[in-house]
Amino acid sequence: MASHLSRALTIALLLTRDLVSGQALKIDSDDSIISTAKTLAQNVMTYYHGNESGQTPGILPGPPPAGDYYWWEGGALWGTMIDYWHYTGDTTYNDVVTQAMLWQVGPNKDYMPPNVTASLGNDDQGFWGMSAMLAAEVNFPDPPSDQPQWLALAQAVFNTQADPARHDSTCGGGLRWQIPFSNNGYDYKNSIANGCFFNLGARLARYLNNQTYADWAEKTWDWVQSVGFMDGDYRIYDGAHVETNCTDINKAQFSYNNAVYLLGAAYMFNYTDGDSKWESRVNGLLDATLRDFFRNDVAYEIACEEHMTCTTDMLSFKGYLHRWMTTMTQIAPFTAQKVLPVLQKSAQAAVNQCTGPPDGKTCGFEWSSGTFDNSVGAGQTMNVLGAVSSLLVGSAKPPVTNATGGTSAGDPNAGSDSDSFTNTPAPITSGDRAGAGILTALVLASAAGTFAWMSLGA
């Protein structure tokens, strides 16, 4: 495993070392990568105010119209910061991350806090669950013993999503986008909701050496293919409505869809000891991801970047793409030589455009342009932080299991007391409905002619 990673990283560094002499942010050595990652971590945390007096721990400012960010992106931020700690060893933000992750667990310790039910999707819950799973896999410091534990939280999210109540017969199965039936989007089944569930199942199967999780992962992959959300060329489409039996497929493609399935498939390859079926799936999806989401080896969001119609959500997808493809190279090492040089070049393009005010190190979104584009925010900074910190993968320990040093305590019954949301409407206020309606109208208008339906939350 080490030889694959070290060889690919050496090649990647040689390709870019002579391009960075004038850069404020440099990534031409491990020391410069750590320094740049530290700067980016400081910058991204300026968007977070949950640890300040009177603010809510765990969330970025929002949801709209109160701020730019939906609840799920807070969970995504903490995954990014956990990876930052894992790769750099910098413990500066660990206490903040732990407080944030625990504050949002909800009364049933399943990442379904009542105050977010108005826009609570399976994908939103799934992102928090995947960050908890990451914490277990990299041995992020365990919470106090009287608090929920990382592995148990990931199991709670998975168990609530495996509940038969969430897998109805419409479209032949699969998770809906939204969880409460009264939410806008409950009539939609999409790739990201099912992708988070697939991803968690694959990772729990490996961590716990438990076939039940693997069976769910395999069943989910098969359903996504059978319903047409993933085609024969490994293009992954957004989703479809249940009233059409999922035949009105919205063919918008987003990089985080490819990334979440790619990482899950790599975990299944690892769990099955290199099963040729999963090797083929990893290869096919990897080639499609490089084909569709990298232009000249630089990450590119094809659904929205050309005309910059990206929503706040979409402006964070490149970071997950980089982070999850990097982890893939650790658990499916045959991918390293193909992937790591591309990620190195893409990361170099990312830092090249981080020249914005006020410090000359602020990052934008359009990496391939080579210049700062004035598109700033938590997502844009998370993207570059994820891309840069992941470059240290060669010296990072691969994800552990409970048999290889994992310390997080699990609970196979976690989530058993959770609210199914099947009998009572979710507590949506008129303000929530108005805000969601206005946002949906704006997004659909800006993306007119590109796609007819857009998943707004994760």
Side-chain angles (χ1 to χ4, degrees):
M1 180 183 299
S3 62
H4 278 285
L5 292 173
S6 60
R7 187 185 312 118
L9 283 168
T10 299
I11 294 170
L13 285 167
L14 288 172
L15 287 172
T16 57
R17 186 182 300 274
D18 58 345
L19 300 178
V20 297
S21 57
Q23 278 300 117
L25 296 179
K26 297 184 179 182
I27 56 171
D28 56 342
S29 67
D30 282 359
D31 286 345
S32 65
I33 291 168
I34 291 171
S35 177
T36 290
K38 184 175 182 178
T39 297
L40 293 166
Q42 291 171 340
N43 287 352
V44 78
M45 290 300 290
T46 64
Y47 292 94
Y48 177 65
H49 305 289
N51 57 341
E52 298 172 6
S53 178
Q55 301 298 313
T56 302
I59 63 172
L60 288 162
D68 290 337
Y69 305 96
Y70 282 99
W71 176 70
W72 76 272
E73 200 162 339
L77 170 61
W78 308 126
T80 303
M81 296 305 293
I82 290 169
D83 260 345
Y84 167 73
W85 162 81
H86 175 58
Y87 288 122
T88 67
D90 182 3
T91 63
T92 300
Y93 306 102
N94 284 12
D95 289 345
V96 175
V97 172
T98 298
Q99 179 200 43
M101 290 281 291
L102 295 179
W103 194 273
Q104 292 296 324
V105 299
N108 296 315
K109 303 174 183 177
D110 54 9
Y111 286 119
M112 292 195 293
N115 61 329
V116 301
T117 54
S119 60
L120 180 60
N122 281 295
D123 51 347
D124 304 87
Q125 184 194 24
F127 260 83
W128 285 89
M130 289 188 294
S131 291
M133 189 73 232
L134 175 63
E137 291 169 336
V138 299
N139 272 338
F140 188 73
D142 293 325
S145 59
D146 62 342
Q147 296 295 312
Q149 302 299 300
W150 306 130
L151 178 60
L153 286 166
Q155 288 175 296
V157 171
F158 182 88
N159 289 343
T160 59
Q161 295 192 352
D163 189 308
R166 295 207 196 174
H167 294 263
D168 56 52
S169 61
T170 58
C171 306
L175 289 169
R176 293 175 182 249
W177 173 28
Q178 292 291 298
I179 300 173
F181 68 82
S182 52
N183 281 10
N184 287 332
Y186 182 74
D187 62 342
Y188 195 69
K189 292 192 174 183
N190 64 0
S191 293
I192 190 57
N194 288 279
C196 293
F197 181 61
F198 164 72
N199 182 292
L200 269 178
R203 292 163 73 174
L204 285 165
R206 177 182 178 271
Y207 192 96
L208 294 166
N209 193 28
N210 186 310
Q211 184 62 36
T212 300
Y213 295 112
D215 290 343
W216 269 111
E218 180 117 31
K219 179 180 178 181
T220 303
W221 177 282
D222 290 345
W223 178 80
V224 168
Q225 284 194 319
S226 70
V227 80
F229 290 176
M230 183 190 298
D231 71 14
D233 293 320
Y234 290 95
R235 292 181 178 87
I236 300 178
Y237 303 122
D238 189 67
H241 293 89
V242 298
E243 55 264 33
T244 71
N245 198 35
C246 291
T247 59
D248 66 332
I249 295 175
N250 166 22
K251 293 196 172 182
Q253 295 175 254
F254 301 104
S255 63
Y256 78 156
N257 276 329
N258 281 56
V260 79
Y261 283 94
L262 189 54
L263 181 59
Y267 270 90
M268 288 299 289
F269 167 82
N270 188 288
Y271 170 73
T272 58
D273 295 322
D275 188 308
S276 60
K277 173 177 65 179
W278 286 106
E279 181 177 4
S280 176
R281 289 171 171 177
V282 169
N283 275 322
L285 187 51
L286 173 56
D287 288 344
T289 302
L290 294 173
R291 176 194 69 209
D292 292 342
F293 294 103
F294 289 84
R295 290 194 173 179
N296 297 317
D297 294 341
V298 177
Y300 187 85
E301 200 62 44
I302 58 172
C304 64
E305 187 164 345
E306 182 176 2
H307 301 292
M308 278 305 290
T309 54
C310 306
T311 66
T312 299
D313 288 357
M314 298 171 206
L315 292 170
S316 72
F317 291 173
K318 292 178 184 178
Y320 319 132
L321 181 68
H322 265 256
R323 288 173 49 220
W324 296 343
M325 289 181 76
T326 299
T327 303
M328 172 193 68
T329 67
Q330 292 186 301
I331 55 175
F334 70 89
T335 64
Q337 196 159 357
K338 178 185 290 186
V339 170
L340 291 177
V342 174
L343 296 182
Q344 173 77 28
K345 184 175 178 181
S346 184
Q348 184 64 63
V351 298
N352 284 351
Q353 54 81 46
C354 292
T355 59
D359 59 356
K361 299 177 182 179
T362 297
C363 301
F365 179 71
E366 297 174 86
W367 297 358
S368 60
S369 71
T371 57
F372 176 66
D373 64 357
N374 293 297
S375 174
V376 298
Q380 294 90 319
T381 313
M382 282 167 57
N383 288 340
V384 186
L385 174 59
V388 168
S389 59
S390 297
L391 294 175
L392 298 167
V393 65
S395 56
K397 186 177 180 178
V400 300
T401 71
N402 66 347
T404 61
T407 62
S408 189
D411 178 2
N413 298 313
S416 59
D417 297 325
S418 297
D419 190 341
S420 68
F421 294 104
T422 56
N423 297 317
T424 24
I428 303 176
T429 67
S430 59
D432 289 326
R433 291 184 184 278
I438 292 168
L439 182 70
T440 300
L442 289 172
V443 171
L444 292 178
S446 70
T450 305
F451 30 80
W453 176 265
M454 184 71 63
S455 294
L456 297 182

